[in-house]
Amino acid sequence: MLRVAVVGSGPSGVYTAQTLVQQDRLPGVHVDVLDRLPCPYGLVRYGVAPDHEKIKSLQNNLRTVLEHENVRFLGGIEIGPDGLPPARLLDLYHAVVYCVGAAADRHLGVPGEDLPGSYSATEFVSWYSAHPDAQSDGFVRGVESAVVIGVGNVAVDVARMLARGVDELRPTDMPQAALGALAESQVREVHMVGRRGPSQARFTTKELRELGSLPDTEVIVDPAELALDPAYADTAGLPAAVRRNIEVMRGWAERPVLGLPRRIRLRFFLRPVAVTEAAGRVGGVRFERTLPDGQGGVTGSGRYEDIAGQLVLRSVGYRGVPIDGLPFDPERGTVPHAAGRVLRAGAASPGEYVAGWIKRGPTGVIGTNRPCAKETVLSLLDDAPDLVRKDVPDDPLTALRDAGFRPVEWSGWQAIERAEAELGTSLGRGPVKIPDWPGLWTAASRGAA
């Protein structure tokens, strides 16, 4: 019997487990899906906006895999210097597949970026998604204008959440403290700013259109900024998705300003050069006007513009972070690999594999993880005849407990779900996420065997 540990219970980890137990080359593979958190699903639980119910429903598909008779969820196990070292983990299993994502945000690298009121978009998302590591912070307290730097889907998400009305958010599973803070929010203007033009924006048309459907909110686009993009006048040579984006923005640019209570302003060809200060905290962002360079990039113009704001959220990409005990490529932010096999000093390390963002970098959508996982699993299965020769414990869970770990099994996760349903009922809402470590551990303990 081949025993495999999958580290990470987000889509890449669950798709890896699914591919392993559904393949027919080597029947009877047993998979333990380990996660640092006591809750499964990774960014589907902690990264998808609470008002995106259709995407969040993907949890139902992931649940089916984690409830497979040959798959076991073990939450609350950290891999690394503060938990279980990778070498020790490999002693317990024939193979280990790391599916840990890209946890670090890219920085702007400009003066003032660390002022109070300046955050990564991920910090804001973690707060309204109830991630237990999120710092409790009054993100929107005293904020009338917010500046979101970036023009991808995450930037659209945070801009939309800043402009959402509380009545639209109450039916979601957003934690009560975040809901209360957003209910009291005085944010009236959100600027979403990109350094290049609309044809280089990374958001999807579906996400973009959602901004235009928010009650009491209008989207304002400067037609002069759109016209700076060489592809704007003739979109025939652009991919269909980009053409649709531009048509949506063209419609907004041609529409008169209505003076609604809230405004989302899409800005282009502006590069941040400093976060400005006011009374010891963020006062806005200074941008340099950029111009197309004719090769898909931009160049500085030497002209500057200040956009006032009491909240700055950067959404300019992610990077993988090193896992103590594994090799790491700092340039790419990934673990070196060949078709998913971890490379140490250029040679495949027996029994160690990667899938997801830590393998390929932070690219693609949720579905991209399926072929990525399949490639890694095929490599693992090719290696299986040699891997199964290694002696491993009959049940790694016993060894983990003997080492002092107290894994949260599936029954513990189900207890968390019940506790969140009870919390929501007490608040007159549907299920409401528990946002803190003590609350999660307490709830999970009620499901302990």
Side-chain angles (χ1 to χ4, degrees), residues 170-174 417 420-425 429-433:
R170 189 173 286 109
T172 73
D173 61 4
M174 175 182 286
E417 288 186 303
E420 292 184 337
E422 293 167 2
L423 174 60
T425 298
R429 299 172 57 193
V432 173
K433 286 180 182 173

Side-chain angles (χ1 to χ4, degrees), residues 178-256:
L179 180 67
L182 291 173
E184 297 175 359
S185 167
Q186 298 301 309
V187 175
R188 294 295 176 262
E189 196 151 40
V190 180
H191 306 263
M192 192 167 70
V193 188
R195 65 184 179 86
R196 296 192 293 173
S199 65
Q200 284 93 30
R202 302 296 297 273
F203 39 64
T204 60
T205 308
K206 179 180 180 297
E207 291 262 5
L208 181 64
R209 283 177 174 150
E210 284 184 296
L211 295 180
S213 65
L214 298 175
D216 299 321
T217 303
E218 59 184 328
V219 182
I220 299 173
V221 185
D222 185 346
E225 289 184 347
L226 298 184
L228 285 174
D229 193 324
Y232 179 69
D234 183 6
T235 62
L238 296 175
V242 178
R243 289 201 305 271
R244 289 193 294 269
N245 284 347
I246 288 180
E247 288 309 308
V248 170
M249 289 183 277
R250 191 191 305 273
W252 288 334
E254 294 172 352
R255 188 173 59 190

Side-chain angles (χ1 to χ4, degrees), residues 61-321:
N61 298 335
L62 303 182
R63 171 187 292 273
T64 300
V65 178
L66 293 173
E67 290 181 335
H68 188 282
E69 61 182 355
N70 284 5
V71 177
R72 182 167 56 182
F73 173 70
L74 300 176
I77 300 179
E78 184 162 1
I79 306 302
D82 297 325
L84 187 68
R88 176 56 181 147
L89 179 63
L90 190 57
D91 287 340
L92 303 180
Y93 295 88
H94 294 111
V96 179
V97 186
Y98 292 91
C99 307
V100 293
D105 294 276
R106 294 184 182 274
H107 287 257
L108 300 174
V110 302
E113 186 173 9
D114 295 325
L115 282 168
S118 172
Y119 307 90
S120 71
T122 299
E123 290 175 289
F124 185 58
V125 171
S126 294
W127 171 69
Y128 67 60
S129 296
H131 195 293
D133 286 342
Q135 298 297 312
S136 178
D137 196 288
F139 285 93
V140 295
R141 189 180 302 122
V143 176
E144 295 183 359
S145 175
V147 183
V148 180
I149 301 174
V151 283
N153 278 344
V154 174
V156 173
D157 275 351
V158 298
R160 189 182 68 254
M161 295 301 293
L162 285 166
R164 274 281 190 209
V166 66
D167 289 339
E168 303 163 83
L169 294 174
R170 189 173 286 109
T172 73
D173 61 4
M174 175 182 286
Q176 187 70 11
L179 180 67
L182 291 173
E184 297 175 359
S185 167
Q186 298 301 309
V187 175
R188 294 295 176 262
E189 196 151 40
V190 180
H191 306 263
M192 192 167 70
V193 188
R195 65 184 179 86
R196 296 192 293 173
S199 65
Q200 284 93 30
R202 302 296 297 273
F203 39 64
T204 60
T205 308
K206 179 180 180 297
E207 291 262 5
L208 181 64
R209 283 177 174 150
E210 284 184 296
L211 295 180
S213 65
L214 298 175
D216 299 321
T217 303
E218 59 184 328
V219 182
I220 299 173
V221 185
D222 185 346
E225 289 184 347
L226 298 184
L228 285 174
D229 193 324
Y232 179 69
D234 183 6
T235 62
L238 296 175
V242 178
R243 289 201 305 271
R244 289 193 294 269
N245 284 347
I246 288 180
E247 288 309 308
V248 170
M249 289 183 277
R250 191 191 305 273
W252 288 334
E254 294 172 352
R255 188 173 59 190
V257 175
L258 302 175
L260 296 179
R262 291 185 292 269
R263 297 169 295 281
I264 298 175
R265 297 182 183 272
L266 297 188
R267 303 295 308 274
F268 296 98
F269 294 109
L270 291 171
R271 176 169 57 201
V273 296
V275 176
T276 56
E277 182 266 340
R281 56 175 292 116
V282 163
V285 183
R286 175 159 296 168
F287 293 92
E288 181 183 16
R289 167 67 66 191
T290 60
L291 298 170
D293 64 4
Q295 300 177 348
V298 292
T299 184
S301 69
R303 293 183 288 115
Y304 298 88
E305 176 181 341
D306 287 355
I307 297 179
Q310 301 80 43
L311 172 67
V312 173
L313 299 174
R314 66 176 187 276
S315 181
V316 291
Y318 305 92
R319 284 184 58 81
V321 295

Side-chain angles (χ1 to χ4, degrees), residues 85 108 192 250 299 305 322 337 352 356 378 383 397 403 416 442:
L108 300 174
M192 192 167 70
R250 191 191 305 273
T299 184
E305 176 181 341
H337 72 94
E352 293 187 305
L378 289 176
D383 301 340
L397 179 55
I416 292 174
T442 299

Side-chain angles (χ1 to χ4, degrees), residues 319-360:
R319 284 184 58 81
V321 295
I323 301 172
D324 190 68
L326 285 182
F328 189 73
D329 180 348
E331 293 296 320
R332 295 174 55 86
T334 58
V335 170
H337 72 94
R341 295 180 178 93
V342 172
L343 298 178
R344 292 182 181 272
S349 176
E352 293 187 305
Y353 303 85
V354 285
W357 279 3
I358 199 63
K359 170 187 174 183
R360 67 180 190 272

